[in-house]
Amino acid sequence: DGGITQSPKYLFRKEGQNVTLSCEQNLNHDAMYWYRQDPGQGLRLIYYSQIVNDFQKGDIAEGYSVSREKKESFPLTVTSAQKNPTAFYLCASSGRQGARIYQPQHFGDGTRLSIL
Amino acid sequence: KQEVTQIPAALSVPEGENLVLNCSFTDSAIYNLQWFRQDPGKGLTSLLLIQSSQREQTSGRLNASLDKSSGRSTLYIAASQPGDSATYLCAVPQTSGSRLTFGEGTQLTVNP
């Protein structure tokens, strides 16, 4: 079954610690995205990548970093510079037709990050 | 900058009722509008995508309408069931292409 796998499902961060959230897809999609969801708010885009070895900042990139070394993987690191990291993090992917990247329609089941 | 708003934030109805969820957007120059469903602690599932040239899109008991000129979309759910309980989000792509702007969502509870 094709899909997006996020791990872990729950993650706890200590003060001053960096943590990495995993996102893997087997849909052969070119584009991948990271969103943050806070209670009562819509999803906000952190970073996105349309091709391997390239990525762009979204609306709330400060305190986060990403890499895209493989097409199927797009890990997100929440650094100690992110002072309010408690949230639900969602990874998404989308395919391409020619030069056009489709908008995300496939989402993982999320990682819930909390501060210890 | 595009802003997407959903009203109401929460809705509780008895089973069998027909209901309407609302979504409004500030910039009417959209390519399409998408409705998603989110179950508690889960990711998003795409329900319906209405192209800018369409007025309606239907899938089973769900019907989504789009009025670009007024900046509004509605999601109509017929004969609601407890299994419809979830948060429903609408989203529009930014003019630059694949990036989506999401509304805050409507949390629906259908009581047996």
Side-chain angles (χ1 to χ4, degrees), chain A residues 9 33 35 37 40-43 45 48 50 57-59 88 90 101-105 107-109 112, chain B residues 32-34 36 38 41-46 49 89 91 93-94 97-105:
Chain A
K9 190 170 178 62
Y33 311 78
Y35 290 92
Q37 187 176 32
Q41 295 191 36
L43 279 66
L45 183 64
Y48 66 105
Q50 296 186 338
K57 293 182 179 179
D59 300 317
F88 189 53
L90 286 163
I101 298 284
Y102 292 117
Q103 61 212 53
Q105 295 194 39
F107 286 78
D109 276 343
R112 189 166 298 280
Chain B
N32 59 58
L33 185 141
Q34 198 163 357
F36 292 90
Q38 184 178 29
K42 297 289 189 181
L44 276 62
T45 299
S46 180
L49 187 152
L89 298 104
Q94 297 183 15
S98 62
R99 296 173 55 168
L100 288 173
T101 300
F102 285 85
E104 309 92 338

Side-chain angles (χ1 to χ4, degrees), chain B residues 19-91:
Chain B
L19 58 100
V20 174
L21 307 181
N22 297 293
C23 172
S24 61
F25 45 93
T26 54
D27 185 349
S28 61
I30 60 170
Y31 295 127
N32 59 58
L33 185 141
Q34 198 163 357
W35 282 94
F36 292 90
R37 168 184 172 137
Q38 184 178 29
D39 292 294
K42 297 289 189 181
L44 276 62
T45 299
S46 180
L47 296 173
L48 290 164
L49 187 152
I50 315 176
Q51 299 292 348
S52 61
S53 57
Q54 296 177 307
R55 294 295 298 265
E56 284 189 5
Q57 188 72 256
T58 298
S59 176
R61 293 182 295 107
L62 304 180
N63 176 275
S65 67
L66 175 63
D67 184 345
K68 279 182 57 178
S69 60
S70 67
R72 302 171 93 170
S73 176
T74 61
L75 180 66
Y76 175 84
I77 302 177
S80 58
Q81 302 170 358
D84 294 329
S85 298
T87 296
Y88 292 81
L89 298 104
C90 65

Side-chain angles (χ1 to χ4, degrees), chain A residues 92-104:
Chain A
S93 71
S94 63
R96 156 202 302 273
Q97 184 172 22
R100 182 188 168 196
I101 298 284
Y102 292 117
Q103 61 212 53

